[in-house]
Amino acid sequence: MEARVVTLKDVAREAGVSPKTVSRVVNDDPAVNGKTREAVAEVIRRMHYVPDHAARMMRMSHSSVVGLMTDAVATTPYSVDIIRGAQSGLREQARTMLIANTDGDPEQEQEYWQMFRAHKVAGVVYATMYHRPVDLGAPDFERGVVLANCYSARRSHASVVPDDEGGGYTQARHLIELGHRRIGIVSLSPVLRATVLRGAGYRTAFAESGLFYDPSLDVPGFITRQDGGEDLVAYDTALGLLRRTDRPTAIICGNDQIAVQVYAAAATLGLSVPDDLSVMGFDDMAIITHTLKPMLTSVALPYFEIGRTAVDILSRVNGESEGPVAQQVLVPCPLVVRQSCRQLV
Amino acid sequence: MEARVVTLKDVAREAGVSPKTVSRVVNDDPAVNGKTREAVAEVIRRMHYVPDHAARMMRMSHSSVVGLMTDAVATTPYSVDIIRGAQSGLREQARTMLIANTDGDPEQEQEYWQMFRAHKVAGVVYATMYHRPVDLGAPDFERGVVLANCYSARRSHASVVPDDEGGGYTQARHLIELGHRRIGIVSLSPVLRATVLRGAGYRTAFAESGLFYDPSLDVPGFITRQDGGEDLVAYDTALGLLRRTDRPTAIICGNDQIAVQVYAAAATLGLSVPDDLSVMGFDDMAIITHTLKPMLTSVALPYFEIGRTAVDILSRVNGESEGPVAQQVLVPCPLVVRQSCRQLV
DNA sequence: GTGAAAGCGCTAACAG
DNA sequence: CTGTTAGCGCTTTCAC
């Protein structure tokens, strides 16, 4: 059954035209007679002809494939949506995606850069699990590179990151609008960029409303150990916050996982969410937000949009589309209101 | 700076040998003098030569790229590990992966099959989010196809699926070994294959130990609506179970999300886990198992292994490696013991 | 509008 | 052990 794959030539012979004409039809070259085009298209369909990507790529010396390099994105529930977003954008551009997961290993990363070069990929989206600065291992990569969820401290590459500061602002602002004046914060590890940026957002929102930012109400939910591991301490720190005589009426969480701990701490003290305590999450992970009772109000990390935007920018970087090249894009983090925050009378 | 890419010929000229010799070095053909090889390798390194994948592929008429088609795997926290596993296997085979996410849309799937053909992929791993039967849209696809987390009812393709029955057995067995005799079950939607298979596992374990399987102790945690959506009813059904005068000493959950609800129901009734109630999860999703207090004992869905095994089988299906072709592979679901199940005295 | 010729970068098949 | 020749399937260039 080793049926030879049908080629351009086969189609040409069958259709009684030259290979070049078939090529023109395949590539939507307008310089083909309408009738000829139809006839050829018919033969193509009938013979199930599919253009050989390799041959085409060789001739055109670049591919319609985009490389996606990730440290652990494909690996984590948090950020897979970057991939989906990228895919969605590429589909519209009739391109496809070669995926490389480095697990954070520089050696693997080096290998994959090589591979991307070998494949002559049209560009690379470099995505990270955490929002952080990166220093690319392949400064000599010829094609466009766009960073997703990370950025180049030296600004050597375009990047797309979540607007963490805006997200923090949104968290605080929503609670303030609901009438809360005494707001606790259980944040992510202080070593994370997100923590710093969101902190700035909280402060702006507080200041706007004449609220005093009280550092003693801002406690860590995770602590990064020397060895790089993380300890989830949110239950205890939240408990501390809630045991105060002047306990906050609302708590802003660094992520939804922390919110779970805050719920638990509240339950331990017999406090009800949202009656006695409003809780605001971050990330909007469905698996948590929908599982908690009451369902968690959260600010979403727009991973899909990030992936999507990254490939859009990529096509511009490579000069294949119109518009100015955006060096840094901040994607907004939208508020998703559910039942964990209540209006204070 | 539009520096032309360095080719085999360039390297050959520079090294003073024929192109074919360079080709031999690149491909580790033993028929090359050690000294020549060293010299050529040196030039390759110096000139940053990377073999052109397209040209190579064209000549060899098949690619080193494997296609991964998924409905929503890349999309969900549950099953991304299939991708990681596949990637890990491919890396060892020095291959790479083209990824296609159909979002369950048959039209997209059709498009992507075309694309895989155009790329002359060496084979395709077809992965689904849920363990379920599939009917492939591309019966005429020439290369090997291996199903991951799904299977062909007509047995037309090799498949790799989790051993749900064994997993159910493991859940029940562990509790029985801890001395539990009265075991409740809060399962996934009864329409799911996993539910049926695990049910068989429970029964086997019960029967083995002379335990009576009481249907009234087996309640749904999710209910599938007519429109295909799912309602999480585990909190209420678990409450029902725990309010019985002859309440179970342990509950087996259909997944970790259900376990969260069971914890909540127990808390509502003032029951402590694991002192008053042992809870057994399924899936072993770190984000849940580690967040719950006490941490959840669960049976893992071996997604990584499934992806990994799928590409291993693929290389055999294509006759590129030794060993008999396995038509159906059941990957075991290992028990992960944490603190939510206790020994009954 | 259409076709003929050339060649992209590589490797299979054969010589030497 | 090494080199030569040919050609994979397509697109570019330039004729017609």
Side-chain angles (χ1 to χ4, degrees), chain A residues 169 172-181 209 335 343-344:
Chain A
Y169 176 85
R173 181 85 211 148
H174 181 65
L175 292 171
I176 292 169
E177 281 172 354
L178 287 176
H180 294 271
R181 289 287 171 274
S209 309
L335 177 70
Q343 176 87 49
L344 238 48

Side-chain angles (χ1 to χ4, degrees), chain B residues 43 82 86 112 116 132 170 184-185 224 239 267 271 275 314:
Chain B
V43 176
I82 294 180
Y112 282 128
F116 283 162
R132 63 177 173 88
T170 302
I185 299 169
T224 303
L239 220 45
L271 297 173
D275 290 338
L314 195 58

Side-chain angles (χ1 to χ4, degrees), chain B residues 5 32 61 71 84-85 99 109 112 142 146 180 186 211 228 302 307 317 320 335:
Chain B
V5 175
V32 181
S61 78
D71 52 355
R84 271 187 64 228
I99 216 174
E109 179 168 338
Y112 282 128
E142 306 85 359
V146 174
H180 294 272
V186 184
L211 260 59
V317 166
E320 292 154 359
L335 177 69

Side-chain angles (χ1 to χ4, degrees), chain A residues 34-89:
Chain A
K35 224 155 54 189
T36 320
R37 148 169 286 112
E38 241 336 297
V40 172
E42 168 53 26
V43 176
I44 287 179
R45 233 170 294 130
R46 183 154 49 73
M47 302 183 78
H48 295 294
Y49 167 69
V50 179
D52 184 316
H53 177 78
R56 178 177 257 176
M57 176 167 139
M58 189 160 122
R59 210 62 191 72
M60 316 210 300
S61 78
H62 78 267
S63 136
S64 65
V65 174
V66 166
L68 180 69
M69 178 101 72
T70 77
D71 52 355
V73 167
T75 308
T76 69
Y78 302 98
S79 41
V80 232
D81 267 358
I82 294 179
I83 298 181
R84 272 186 65 229
Q87 177 105 39
S88 143

Side-chain angles (χ1 to χ4, degrees), chain B residues 202-250:
Chain B
Y202 305 149
R203 271 160 249 222
T204 305
F206 285 0
E208 256 185 27
S209 310
L211 260 59
F212 172 65
Y213 167 76
D214 178 352
S216 77
L217 246 41
D218 188 344
V219 299
F222 282 93
I223 291 191
T224 303
R225 292 190 306 267
Q226 291 276 345
D227 67 12
E230 301 230 306
D231 290 319
L232 179 55
V233 299
Y235 179 80
D236 293 322
T237 54
L239 220 45
L241 235 38
L242 295 177
R243 278 192 176 128
R244 293 169 61 132
T245 49
D246 58 349
R247 74 173 154 76
T249 60

Side-chain angles (χ1 to χ4, degrees), chain A residues 66 68 80-97 125 303-312 315, chain B residues 70-71 74-75 99-103 105 108 111-112:
Chain A
V66 166
L68 180 69
V80 232
D81 267 358
I82 294 179
I83 298 181
R84 272 186 65 229
Q87 177 105 39
S88 143
L90 291 175
R91 192 169 120 80
E92 281 170 23
Q93 302 175 21
R95 309 178 127 179
T96 43
M97 197 165 85
V125 172
Y303 285 130
F304 186 94
E305 272 307 302
I306 289 177
R308 177 80 218 207
T309 307
V311 299
D312 286 353
S315 63
Chain B
T70 76
D71 52 355
T75 308
I99 216 174
N101 207 110
T102 66
D103 283 324
D105 173 12
Q108 279 196 55
E111 259 178 48
Y112 282 128

Side-chain angles (χ1 to χ4, degrees), chain B residues 18 20-21 24 31-33 36 58-59:
Chain B
S18 80
K20 180 61 203 172
T21 300
R24 285 192 174 103
V32 181
N33 180 303
T36 320
M58 191 159 115
R59 206 66 193 62

